[in-house]
Amino acid sequence: RPVSLDLVEVETGATRGLLPHREVLFRPLWSPDGRQVSFVAPAVDGDDHQVFVLPMDGGEARQVTRAPEGVNDYAWAADGEGVFFTSTVSVPERSGAERHNRSFEVGEHSYLVRAEPRPSHLWYQPLTGGEPEALTDGPESVMGFRVSPDQRTVALFVRATAESGIREQSVVRLLDLETRQVRAVDGGALTYLREFSPDGRYLAVGRNRTVPSGFSPTHILLAPVDGGPTVDITPDIDRELGGVEWLPDGRSMLVTG
């Protein structure tokens, strides 16, 4: 069933079709200045999902990413000059007798898996084009990320490998975009990624109250982006806390549980 992207005027209810009759279209996001809208759709020359940008003052949507394995998730850079995205690494090419070898070690993965799990990494793609910049590499897999409002830091939710059975080894790390240094958030294994404060000084994370995890509610902690211990801000809420939404002043937040 075809889908479309429409613009609805809040005061009048008037609707303007921006992208009618698309087979696949999801994850629409406004650019920081509101002059463009982005979305994910199949590539112009293939089926892999890529990021497109549509100018609101007229013109056609253009494809801005060309990830060989498609885009898993993305977010605008705070300055509106590019997008951050995650993508699974490509299957390495094999030659000689190995080109027909499809064997692999299942490890801590589902017994039904039919191909070797590959990690996902974070990239930055300027809207002006050119090759994307790889921001992570190695065996760790980026399962989620958040970009700070001041665009100084990216919070990464990473797993030690791409294997799904090592959930207990998931951690949150902070990537400094200027120095490219990465450090772990104080919180131990299985700390869940939530949201940056509006001023970018703090990152809200979730963590189980006891070890091993899964036997007590998740609470919300604040991690100072510039370093320091995390602080539990929900010690008196005896519930499983999930969603976090900062208030604009950065002094309070809404939590769901």
Side-chain angles (χ1 to χ4, degrees), residues 162-182:
E163 298 172 6
S164 62
I166 58 171
R167 176 172 169 268
E168 294 289 336
Q169 299 179 37
S170 300
V171 297
V172 174
R173 293 205 169 96
L174 295 175
L175 167 64
D176 187 305
L177 290 175
E178 181 178 354
T179 66
R180 294 297 190 264
Q181 292 183 342
V182 180

Side-chain angles (χ1 to χ4, degrees), residues 28 31 61 127 129 136 140 178 182 193 201 221 224 228 234 238 245-246:
S31 64
L127 294 189
T136 63
E140 288 191 336
E178 181 178 354
V182 180
L193 182 61
R201 295 175 56 199
L221 302 94
T234 58
D238 188 21
E245 185 66 33
W246 286 88

Side-chain angles (χ1 to χ4, degrees), residues 4-238:
S4 62
L5 181 65
D6 298 330
L7 179 67
V8 179
E9 294 287 345
V10 175
E11 292 186 358
T12 65
T15 302
R16 176 163 64 97
L18 300 178
L19 293 167
H21 307 301
R22 289 266 181 162
E23 291 298 322
V24 178
L25 188 155
F26 59 96
R27 194 98 166 87
L29 294 175
W30 286 107
S31 64
D33 61 7
R35 299 173 61 184
Q36 303 177 92
V37 63
S38 58
F39 58 93
V40 176
V44 173
D45 54 357
D47 296 326
D48 292 324
H49 291 162
Q50 305 291 345
V51 177
F52 289 73
V53 171
L54 176 70
M56 294 303 295
D57 57 359
E60 296 293 324
R62 63 185 180 91
Q63 181 179 328
V64 297
T65 63
R66 286 171 174 77
E69 299 295 319
V71 169
N72 298 331
D73 193 12
Y74 82 102
W76 279 91
D79 59 12
E81 295 183 1
V83 294
F84 296 89
F85 70 91
T86 55
S87 180
T88 305
V89 300
S90 301
V91 177
E93 293 187 7
R94 300 181 180 184
S95 59
E98 284 296 306
R99 69 183 185 278
H100 301 300
N101 183 5
R102 296 295 180 265
S103 64
F104 65 95
E105 184 177 345
V106 174
E108 299 292 334
H109 212 64
S110 167
Y111 73 97
L112 295 176
V113 69
R114 303 184 65 181
E116 183 176 10
R118 291 169 284 138
S120 175
H121 287 300
L122 180 69
W123 304 74
Y124 173 75
Q125 176 65 62
L127 294 189
T128 53
E131 292 297 316
E133 178 185 3
L135 299 177
T136 63
D137 59 12
E140 288 191 336
S141 188
V142 179
M143 311 306 295
F145 71 96
R146 299 286 189 275
V147 183
S148 66
D150 56 13
Q151 203 173 310
R152 293 175 50 216
T153 312
V154 176
L156 307 170
F157 181 51
V158 299
R159 188 177 288 162
T161 72
E163 298 172 6
S164 62
I166 58 171
R167 176 172 169 268
E168 294 289 336
Q169 299 179 37
S170 300
V171 297
V172 174
R173 293 205 169 96
L174 295 175
L175 167 64
D176 187 305
L177 290 175
E178 181 178 354
T179 66
R180 294 297 190 264
Q181 292 183 342
V182 180
R183 68 174 180 85
V185 168
D186 174 33
L190 204 60
T191 299
Y192 301 98
L193 182 61
R194 293 297 185 255
E195 301 291 342
F196 278 103
S197 61
D199 60 8
R201 295 175 56 199
Y202 296 96
L203 175 69
V205 298
R207 188 182 67 187
N208 279 127
R209 296 181 188 273
T210 61
V211 177
S213 62
F215 296 94
S216 64
T218 297
H219 54 148
I220 304 300
L221 302 94
L222 289 189
V225 172
D226 291 334
T230 55
V231 178
D232 184 359
I233 61 170
T234 58
D236 299 327
I237 305 179
D238 188 21

